[in-house]
Amino acid sequence: MNPHLQPWEISADNFPADSFTTDQLEFLLGYGILAPSSHNTQPWLFQLHTMHMDVYADRRRALRVVDPYDRELTISCGAALFNIRVAAEYFGHQCRVNLLPEAANPNLLAQVDLGLRCETTSEDILLFNAIQQRHTNRQPFRPDPVPEALLAALAAAAQQEGAWLQLVSGEEARNRVAELVAGADLAQWADKHFRQELAKWVRPKAQQARDGLLAEALGVKDWLSFAAPTLIRTFNRGAAMAARDREVALGSPVLAVLGTDAETTRDWLLAGQALEAVLLRARGEDLWASFLNQAIEVPECRAQLAEVTGRGGFPQMLLRLGYGPKAKPTPRRSVRDVLIRHKSGEATGKW
Ligand SMILES: Cc1cc2nc3c(=O)[nH]c(=O)nc-3n(C[C@H](O)[C@H](O)[C@H](O)COP(=O)(O)O)c2cc1C
């Protein structure tokens, strides 16, 4: 059995319903860590207290080149937070979240506590069941259209979390977005610092990784995966990536921008929760998603993308959505690895 699948095999049957709040919060974390994160860095840490839990940014896992302001890092933590909320509600607890509770401590992103028991709704069940089914799916999608009602539900899900989801519609706009993605690929791959950072997070297939990107996610063939970090560090594959991503973008039935009206840490946390709300709602209806975020990571492209959406505000994620073949789970660190056990802030896991 592949050990990297283990965190994905968490079973709701094991929820410690009759135990202390701390034990319950620790169990909920098992769902939090299944959230998506940029380069699968899993840049989060958690501290359990008797009645609540603290969610911290782990900036040792920051991507200084591709994400210099920790925007994507914060979005990733927001997505983990949303999973925790969904799981709490599934187990019948109201989840109260206080974002950025201490101005003097910017690493403390949120405080979570469990309120009185509430009734589990069918929506809670749909979202909860989707947590273990959600994976980033970079494969081509079928051309089948996505029902309008589902797209409206996704936009409503984003809005409920304080963000917006804007579809890119019309051939001209879709072409412009595909060109932005391709242009961003060329710009990023031409930068050796970008390649060095990416190479650090790429894991050859044979390695029993607990984080990072599997080489196949970057289109590296299985038999070459052992050499993937070196290949990525050394060669500018920008032209190939641009051609592939242009085609993938244009072939996706839905392209959509998730954004916020402002650009603060709080907005990034809202965007992360909205992102996971959209992804889980989509997955609950059999829809897959992946991201073409390079068009947001390169500042000039981000400004142009904002123009294409035709609305003010700040694009945070560029999504493609559609129906397609199954995607596989990716590695995760265990809950133990991301728990802060001591006041000094040290986690138990290896780094
Ligand atoms: C903020 C953020 C940005 C991301 N950007 C990209 C991206 O530009 N391209 C991509 O292929 N995946 C992107 N991802 C997906 C991650 O690589 C993926 O979540 C991670 O590898 C874990 O895999 P999983 O989502 O299948 O669990 C992004 C995820 C997050 C949360």
Side-chain angles (χ1 to χ4, degrees):
M1 221 260 316
N2 187 339
H4 93 236
L5 293 181
Q6 219 178 334
W8 292 94
E9 290 172 343
I10 182 169
S11 166
D13 295 343
N14 296 330
F15 179 67
D18 301 322
S19 195
F20 297 110
T21 303
T22 339
D23 298 332
Q24 296 184 346
L25 285 167
E26 182 166 350
F27 186 81
L28 298 181
L29 276 184
Y31 294 93
I33 61 166
L34 300 181
S37 60
S38 41
H39 289 16
N40 198 15
T41 48
Q42 305 162 42
W44 41 63
L45 286 171
F46 305 90
Q47 188 160 33
L48 297 168
H49 302 270
T50 322
M51 296 307 284
H52 77 276
M53 167 166 66
D54 290 330
V55 181
Y56 284 95
D58 185 351
R59 299 193 201 276
R60 293 170 299 185
R61 299 187 151 248
L63 300 167
R64 301 273 172 239
V65 180
V66 87
D67 185 30
Y69 304 106
D70 287 353
R71 184 183 63 83
E72 291 191 350
L73 179 150
T74 311
I75 291 176
S76 306
C77 293
L81 180 60
F82 189 78
N83 276 7
I84 293 166
R85 285 173 48 199
V86 167
E89 274 156 34
Y90 175 82
F91 292 109
H93 285 281
Q94 216 175 48
C95 193
R96 287 184 305 231
V97 176
N98 188 5
L99 295 182
L100 301 165
E102 289 175 11
N105 186 359
N107 290 335
L108 177 56
L109 298 180
Q111 240 157 27
V112 176
D113 71 281
L114 298 182
L116 292 175
R117 291 190 71 82
C118 60
E119 212 167 290
T120 305
T121 64
S122 57
E123 178 79 5
D124 295 334
I125 297 170
L126 178 118
L127 296 180
F128 178 77
N129 287 335
I131 293 178
Q132 282 158 288
Q133 303 302 321
R134 184 216 59 82
H135 307 297
T136 301
N137 194 337
R138 299 180 181 85
Q139 302 170 85
F141 297 146
R142 295 194 300 271
D144 312 4
V146 178
E148 291 290 330
L150 177 51
L151 293 174
L154 299 183
Q159 201 173 11
Q160 200 173 338
E161 296 301 323
W164 46 261
L165 186 75
Q166 173 88 37
L167 302 184
V168 179
S169 28
E171 208 176 311
E172 196 194 322
R174 285 170 57 87
N175 278 327
R176 273 189 75 189
V177 168
E179 285 314 313
L180 287 176
V181 170
D185 274 331
L186 290 175
Q188 287 188 324
W189 281 84
D191 175 1
K192 74 168 193 249
H193 302 291
F194 166 84
R195 299 201 305 269
Q196 280 164 358
E197 182 177 76
L198 182 59
K200 251 179 65 188
W201 286 97
V202 169
R203 310 285 179 249
K205 192 170 188 177
Q207 199 175 315
Q208 305 219 320
R210 295 184 308 148
D211 59 10
L213 297 163
L214 298 179
E216 65 189 36
L218 290 156
V220 178
K221 300 256 183 302
D222 264 8
W223 61 273
L224 261 180
S225 93
F226 73 95
T230 312
L231 291 174
I232 287 164
R233 196 178 311 112
T234 316
F235 298 107
N236 177 355
R237 297 175 66 226
M241 298 306 278
R244 185 192 78 164
D245 290 338
R246 183 189 288 112
E247 199 178 313
V248 160
L250 290 175
S252 301
V254 176
L255 291 175
V257 178
L258 185 132
T260 50
D261 289 336
E263 176 88 326
T264 63
T265 306
R266 188 187 170 79
D267 292 294
W268 297 337
L269 284 170
L270 297 180
Q273 292 174 86
L275 171 69
E276 190 66 347
V278 169
L279 296 177
L280 295 184
R281 187 71 174 72
R283 198 63 211 109
E285 310 260 1
D286 210 30
L287 202 56
W288 290 106
S290 73
F291 315 98
L292 296 162
N293 253 24
Q294 51 275 60
I296 293 176
E297 291 159 353
V298 174
E300 304 80 58
C301 297
R302 188 182 190 194
Q304 291 180 51
L305 186 66
E307 229 179 80
V308 178
T309 64
R311 60 181 296 163
F314 299 83
Q316 303 292 354
M317 299 288 294
L318 175 56
L319 285 80
R320 58 184 279 271
L321 296 153
Y323 302 100
K326 263 184 132 166
K328 285 185 274 184
T330 56
R332 287 294 185 280
R333 293 178 298 153
S334 70
V335 167
R336 281 192 52 235
D337 292 331
V338 296
L339 272 183
I340 300 171
R341 299 271 185 203
H342 310 294
K343 280 243 153 46
S344 68
E346 271 310 300
T348 52
K350 298 187 193 87
W351 298 91

